Amino acid sequence: MKVERIQLYHIDLRKRPPHHQLFAIRLCTDDGLCGVGEIAMPYGVGGESVLAAARAVGERFVLGCDPARPEALWQSVFRGSYWGLGHSLALYGAMAGFDLACWDIKGKSVGRPLHDLLGGRVRDSLDLYANHWYGDAKTPEEFAAKAAAAVAAGWRGLKFDPFREHAGRTQAAAVQLDPAAGKRGVARAKAVREAIGPDVRLYFDLHGALAPDDAVRWCAELVELEPAFIEEPVATLHADATARVRAALPRLPLAGGERLYLRQHFLPYLEKGLFDVVQPDVCLAGGITETRKIAALAESYSVRVQLHNCAGPICTAASLHLMLATPNASPQEWFPFWEDGRYDMVHEPFEPIARDGAFDAAHANRPGLGVELNDDYVQPFLVSELSK
């Protein structure tokens, strides 16, 4: 079995809130099997760079390879691309997209769901928490009302960033937080906790935007709300900033890793005991092949793993299968409220199937990843087609 055709899709949704773009890959083999993958750079600057990287990797390494050997392909790109041994996000993203597609083909070739190929599932259901439930909320009262509505819809865990001026907008990193914004954020957080009660898991994602002294100041107030974790209060460019927060607030559960990509990048945080939960993105951190190793490395340090997941339904499918087969999995990030139509890029997406804050593994029984590109939807977004 050899890869004979590669299709790259740039699904540009930037004219619709929340103004994201998605990158999908389809590999087809000489015996008629096709697999899908995704690269998770939906926001920020430079997303288009993954297309150039994917074209180059596809031409040099993927066309003609055996997709049933994803580890061999991963190693050939990592060691043969030169920049793989450095810190190349676009390259790691391309590797992830192709890796997912290879695992998808591998599952289809034997007629088994992906989690069966990863050692088999270790749980019959996967707990989830909801993100993007807050919509356009700004005031503490608006956040509280939307949080209560999400809990009424069955969600048992919620995550948001209380300090952003607007919940869906980014902010500059490592600058001093205006005290008024800090107080407003704490008020939002307290309002949400009061609205959802003590038994619903509450997660805060600060997007690495605070300087260490500000992170300590404001997280000291959030810790009283008993969060399940606070995600990236400071940037992960180096571990010392997180160490300052850990030393000042030892009771605070910390999570992070969406902008870390290889085992080597996570190792300093694990060695120093800085993360209670690691959060690689399977569609950026080298795919299934590397992310399962990150999860195993975390397990050796008694640290849980929760995959970062904010792109499209292919990334959700890959995250779901890997977490079903991962013993140290934490409740998984889930986006059930996207309003831009992205679920339509595949047939039978998993996102709407979740019920009561969990996903029943019985629904993840289709071969491979269990999702297929919807050609009626994605065809206008085809940007490259490579063939052997």
Short mmCIF file of all heavy atoms in Angstrom, two decimals, residues 318-352:
data_model
loop_
_atom_site.label_atom_id
_atom_site.label_comp_id
_atom_site.label_asym_id
_atom_site.label_seq_id
_atom_site.Cartn_x
_atom_site.Cartn_y
_atom_site.Cartn_z
N ALA A 318 -9.60 12.73 16.46
CA ALA A 318 -8.29 12.19 16.85
C ALA A 318 -8.09 12.30 18.36
O ALA A 318 -7.60 11.36 19.00
CB ALA A 318 -7.19 12.93 16.11
N SER A 319 -8.48 13.43 18.94
CA SER A 319 -8.34 13.61 20.39
C SER A 319 -9.18 12.59 21.14
O SER A 319 -8.73 12.00 22.13
CB SER A 319 -8.78 15.03 20.77
OG SER A 319 -8.00 16.01 20.11
N LEU A 320 -10.39 12.37 20.68
CA LEU A 320 -11.28 11.42 21.33
C LEU A 320 -10.69 10.02 21.35
O LEU A 320 -10.62 9.37 22.41
CB LEU A 320 -12.62 11.42 20.60
CG LEU A 320 -13.62 10.34 21.01
CD1 LEU A 320 -14.09 10.55 22.44
CD2 LEU A 320 -14.81 10.33 20.05
N HIS A 321 -10.24 9.53 20.20
CA HIS A 321 -9.70 8.17 20.14
C HIS A 321 -8.47 8.02 21.03
O HIS A 321 -8.33 7.00 21.73
CB HIS A 321 -9.35 7.82 18.70
CG HIS A 321 -10.52 7.43 17.87
ND1 HIS A 321 -11.11 6.20 17.94
CD2 HIS A 321 -11.24 8.13 16.94
CE1 HIS A 321 -12.13 6.13 17.10
NE2 HIS A 321 -12.23 7.29 16.48
N LEU A 322 -7.57 9.01 21.00
CA LEU A 322 -6.36 8.89 21.80
C LEU A 322 -6.69 8.91 23.29
O LEU A 322 -6.13 8.14 24.07
CB LEU A 322 -5.39 10.02 21.44
CG LEU A 322 -4.04 10.00 22.16
CD1 LEU A 322 -3.35 8.65 22.04
CD2 LEU A 322 -3.14 11.11 21.64
N MET A 323 -7.61 9.77 23.71
CA MET A 323 -7.95 9.84 25.13
C MET A 323 -8.70 8.61 25.61
O MET A 323 -8.58 8.21 26.77
CB MET A 323 -8.75 11.10 25.43
CG MET A 323 -7.94 12.39 25.32
SD MET A 323 -6.55 12.51 26.51
CE MET A 323 -5.18 11.81 25.56
N LEU A 324 -9.48 7.98 24.74
CA LEU A 324 -10.14 6.73 25.13
C LEU A 324 -9.12 5.64 25.44
O LEU A 324 -9.40 4.74 26.25
CB LEU A 324 -11.08 6.26 24.01
CG LEU A 324 -12.38 7.04 23.85
CD1 LEU A 324 -13.14 6.55 22.62
CD2 LEU A 324 -13.27 6.93 25.08
N ALA A 325 -7.94 5.72 24.83
CA ALA A 325 -6.92 4.69 25.01
C ALA A 325 -5.79 5.14 25.95
O ALA A 325 -4.79 4.44 26.06
CB ALA A 325 -6.34 4.30 23.65
N THR A 326 -5.95 6.29 26.62
CA THR A 326 -4.89 6.85 27.46
C THR A 326 -5.26 6.73 28.93
O THR A 326 -6.26 7.33 29.37
CB THR A 326 -4.64 8.33 27.09
OG1 THR A 326 -4.19 8.39 25.73
CG2 THR A 326 -3.59 8.95 27.99
N PRO A 327 -4.50 5.99 29.73
CA PRO A 327 -4.91 5.76 31.13
C PRO A 327 -4.90 7.00 31.99
O PRO A 327 -5.69 7.09 32.94
CB PRO A 327 -3.90 4.72 31.62
CG PRO A 327 -2.76 4.79 30.68
CD PRO A 327 -3.32 5.20 29.36
N ASN A 328 -4.03 7.98 31.72
CA ASN A 328 -3.93 9.17 32.56
C ASN A 328 -4.67 10.36 31.97
O ASN A 328 -4.31 11.51 32.19
CB ASN A 328 -2.47 9.54 32.82
CG ASN A 328 -1.64 9.71 31.55
OD1 ASN A 328 -1.84 8.98 30.57
ND2 ASN A 328 -0.71 10.65 31.55
N ALA A 329 -5.76 10.08 31.22
CA ALA A 329 -6.54 11.16 30.59
C ALA A 329 -7.34 11.92 31.63
O ALA A 329 -7.94 11.33 32.53
CB ALA A 329 -7.47 10.59 29.53
N SER A 330 -7.37 13.23 31.48
CA SER A 330 -8.20 14.13 32.25
C SER A 330 -9.44 14.45 31.42
O SER A 330 -9.46 14.17 30.21
CB SER A 330 -7.40 15.41 32.55
OG SER A 330 -8.09 16.29 33.38
N PRO A 331 -10.51 15.03 31.99
CA PRO A 331 -11.66 15.42 31.16
C PRO A 331 -11.22 16.24 29.95
O PRO A 331 -10.38 17.14 30.06
CB PRO A 331 -12.52 16.25 32.13
CG PRO A 331 -12.26 15.60 33.46
CD PRO A 331 -10.80 15.24 33.43
N GLN A 332 -11.78 15.91 28.80
CA GLN A 332 -11.33 16.42 27.51
C GLN A 332 -12.04 17.73 27.14
O GLN A 332 -13.24 17.87 27.31
CB GLN A 332 -11.57 15.38 26.42
CG GLN A 332 -11.31 15.83 25.00
CD GLN A 332 -9.87 16.28 24.79
OE1 GLN A 332 -8.94 15.70 25.33
NE2 GLN A 332 -9.70 17.32 24.00
N GLU A 333 -11.26 18.66 26.60
CA GLU A 333 -11.83 19.92 26.08
C GLU A 333 -12.72 19.64 24.87
O GLU A 333 -12.34 18.90 23.97
CB GLU A 333 -10.68 20.86 25.68
CG GLU A 333 -11.13 22.21 25.19
CD GLU A 333 -9.97 23.16 24.97
OE1 GLU A 333 -8.85 22.69 24.65
OE2 GLU A 333 -10.17 24.38 25.13
N TRP A 334 -13.89 20.27 24.86
CA TRP A 334 -14.89 20.01 23.82
C TRP A 334 -15.54 21.34 23.43
O TRP A 334 -15.83 22.17 24.29
CB TRP A 334 -15.95 19.07 24.38
CG TRP A 334 -16.68 18.21 23.40
CD1 TRP A 334 -17.95 18.38 22.92
CD2 TRP A 334 -16.20 17.00 22.79
NE1 TRP A 334 -18.29 17.35 22.08
CE2 TRP A 334 -17.23 16.48 21.98
CE3 TRP A 334 -15.00 16.30 22.86
CZ2 TRP A 334 -17.10 15.30 21.24
CZ3 TRP A 334 -14.86 15.13 22.14
CH2 TRP A 334 -15.91 14.65 21.33
N PHE A 335 -15.75 21.54 22.15
CA PHE A 335 -16.38 22.76 21.64
C PHE A 335 -17.71 22.40 20.99
O PHE A 335 -17.77 22.15 19.78
CB PHE A 335 -15.47 23.46 20.64
CG PHE A 335 -14.38 24.28 21.27
CD1 PHE A 335 -13.19 23.70 21.67
CD2 PHE A 335 -14.55 25.64 21.47
CE1 PHE A 335 -12.19 24.46 22.25
CE2 PHE A 335 -13.55 26.41 22.05
CZ PHE A 335 -12.36 25.82 22.44
N PRO A 336 -18.80 22.40 21.75
CA PRO A 336 -20.10 22.02 21.19
C PRO A 336 -20.90 23.19 20.61
O PRO A 336 -22.00 22.98 20.11
CB PRO A 336 -20.83 21.44 22.40
CG PRO A 336 -20.30 22.23 23.55
CD PRO A 336 -18.88 22.55 23.22
N PHE A 337 -20.35 24.42 20.69
CA PHE A 337 -21.16 25.59 20.36
C PHE A 337 -20.60 26.43 19.21
O PHE A 337 -20.98 27.59 19.07
CB PHE A 337 -21.30 26.49 21.61
CG PHE A 337 -21.88 25.79 22.80
CD1 PHE A 337 -21.12 25.58 23.94
CD2 PHE A 337 -23.18 25.34 22.78
CE1 PHE A 337 -21.65 24.95 25.06
CE2 PHE A 337 -23.73 24.70 23.89
CZ PHE A 337 -22.97 24.50 25.03
N TRP A 338 -19.70 25.89 18.38
CA TRP A 338 -19.21 26.68 17.25
C TRP A 338 -20.39 27.10 16.37
O TRP A 338 -21.26 26.28 16.05
CB TRP A 338 -18.22 25.89 16.41
CG TRP A 338 -16.89 25.60 17.00
CD1 TRP A 338 -16.29 24.38 17.09
CD2 TRP A 338 -15.95 26.53 17.55
NE1 TRP A 338 -15.05 24.49 17.67
CE2 TRP A 338 -14.81 25.81 17.96
CE3 TRP A 338 -15.97 27.92 17.73
CZ2 TRP A 338 -13.71 26.41 18.55
CZ3 TRP A 338 -14.85 28.52 18.33
CH2 TRP A 338 -13.74 27.78 18.72
N GLU A 339 -20.38 28.36 15.94
CA GLU A 339 -21.49 28.89 15.16
C GLU A 339 -21.15 29.13 13.69
O GLU A 339 -21.95 29.70 12.95
CB GLU A 339 -21.98 30.21 15.79
CG GLU A 339 -20.96 31.34 15.77
CD GLU A 339 -20.11 31.43 17.04
OE1 GLU A 339 -19.59 30.37 17.47
OE2 GLU A 339 -19.96 32.55 17.56
N ASP A 340 -19.96 28.70 13.25
CA ASP A 340 -19.53 29.02 11.89
C ASP A 340 -19.72 27.88 10.90
O ASP A 340 -19.25 27.96 9.76
CB ASP A 340 -18.06 29.47 11.88
CG ASP A 340 -17.11 28.43 12.49
OD1 ASP A 340 -17.55 27.29 12.77
OD2 ASP A 340 -15.93 28.76 12.70
N GLY A 341 -20.37 26.80 11.30
CA GLY A 341 -20.66 25.72 10.37
C GLY A 341 -19.53 24.73 10.15
O GLY A 341 -19.61 23.89 9.25
N ARG A 342 -18.49 24.78 10.97
CA ARG A 342 -17.31 23.93 10.73
C ARG A 342 -17.62 22.43 10.87
O ARG A 342 -16.92 21.60 10.28
CB ARG A 342 -16.16 24.31 11.65
CG ARG A 342 -16.35 23.93 13.10
CD ARG A 342 -15.19 24.41 13.95
NE ARG A 342 -15.14 25.87 13.98
CZ ARG A 342 -14.11 26.56 14.48
NH1 ARG A 342 -13.07 25.92 14.99
NH2 ARG A 342 -14.12 27.87 14.49
N TYR A 343 -18.62 22.08 11.66
CA TYR A 343 -18.94 20.66 11.80
C TYR A 343 -19.31 20.04 10.45
O TYR A 343 -19.15 18.83 10.25
CB TYR A 343 -20.10 20.44 12.77
CG TYR A 343 -19.91 21.07 14.13
CD1 TYR A 343 -20.92 21.84 14.69
CD2 TYR A 343 -18.74 20.91 14.86
CE1 TYR A 343 -20.78 22.43 15.94
CE2 TYR A 343 -18.58 21.49 16.10
CZ TYR A 343 -19.60 22.26 16.64
OH TYR A 343 -19.45 22.84 17.87
N ASP A 344 -19.79 20.86 9.51
CA ASP A 344 -20.24 20.35 8.22
C ASP A 344 -19.09 19.91 7.32
O ASP A 344 -19.33 19.34 6.26
CB ASP A 344 -21.08 21.40 7.49
CG ASP A 344 -22.39 21.68 8.19
OD1 ASP A 344 -22.89 20.79 8.90
OD2 ASP A 344 -22.92 22.80 8.04
N MET A 345 -17.84 20.17 7.73
CA MET A 345 -16.72 19.77 6.88
C MET A 345 -16.55 18.25 6.85
O MET A 345 -15.84 17.73 5.98
CB MET A 345 -15.42 20.45 7.31
CG MET A 345 -14.88 20.03 8.65
SD MET A 345 -13.41 20.97 9.14
CE MET A 345 -12.11 20.07 8.27
N VAL A 346 -17.19 17.53 7.78
CA VAL A 346 -17.13 16.07 7.77
C VAL A 346 -18.54 15.51 7.86
O VAL A 346 -19.47 16.19 8.30
CB VAL A 346 -16.27 15.51 8.92
CG1 VAL A 346 -14.85 16.05 8.87
CG2 VAL A 346 -16.90 15.81 10.27
N HIS A 347 -18.67 14.27 7.46
CA HIS A 347 -19.91 13.54 7.70
C HIS A 347 -19.89 13.00 9.14
O HIS A 347 -18.86 12.55 9.64
CB HIS A 347 -20.05 12.36 6.73
CG HIS A 347 -20.17 12.78 5.30
ND1 HIS A 347 -21.27 13.42 4.80
CD2 HIS A 347 -19.31 12.63 4.24
CE1 HIS A 347 -21.11 13.65 3.50
NE2 HIS A 347 -19.92 13.18 3.15
N GLU A 348 -21.01 13.07 9.82
CA GLU A 348 -21.19 12.50 11.16
C GLU A 348 -20.11 12.95 12.15
O GLU A 348 -19.37 12.12 12.70
CB GLU A 348 -21.23 10.97 11.07
CG GLU A 348 -22.36 10.43 10.20
CD GLU A 348 -22.40 8.93 10.17
OE1 GLU A 348 -21.67 8.33 9.35
OE2 GLU A 348 -23.13 8.35 11.00
N PRO A 349 -19.99 14.25 12.39
CA PRO A 349 -19.01 14.73 13.38
C PRO A 349 -19.37 14.23 14.78
O PRO A 349 -20.53 13.96 15.09
CB PRO A 349 -19.13 16.25 13.28
CG PRO A 349 -20.53 16.48 12.80
CD PRO A 349 -20.82 15.35 11.85
N PHE A 350 -18.35 14.14 15.63
CA PHE A 350 -18.56 13.64 16.98
C PHE A 350 -19.10 14.70 17.94
O PHE A 350 -19.73 14.36 18.95
CB PHE A 350 -17.25 13.08 17.55
CG PHE A 350 -16.84 11.78 16.95
CD1 PHE A 350 -15.57 11.62 16.39
CD2 PHE A 350 -17.69 10.70 16.94
CE1 PHE A 350 -15.18 10.40 15.85
CE2 PHE A 350 -17.31 9.47 16.40
CZ PHE A 350 -16.05 9.33 15.85
N GLU A 351 -18.82 15.98 17.69
CA GLU A 351 -19.17 17.02 18.65
C GLU A 351 -20.64 16.96 19.10
O GLU A 351 -20.92 17.03 20.31
CB GLU A 351 -18.84 18.41 18.10
CG GLU A 351 -17.37 18.77 18.10
CD GLU A 351 -16.66 18.36 16.83
OE1 GLU A 351 -17.22 17.52 16.08
OE2 GLU A 351 -15.56 18.87 16.57
N PRO A 352 -21.61 16.84 18.18
CA PRO A 352 -23.01 16.87 18.63
C PRO A 352 -23.47 15.61 19.37
O PRO A 352 -24.56 15.61 19.95
CB PRO A 352 -23.80 17.03 17.31
CG PRO A 352 -22.81 17.48 16.29
CD PRO A 352 -21.52 16.86 16.72
#
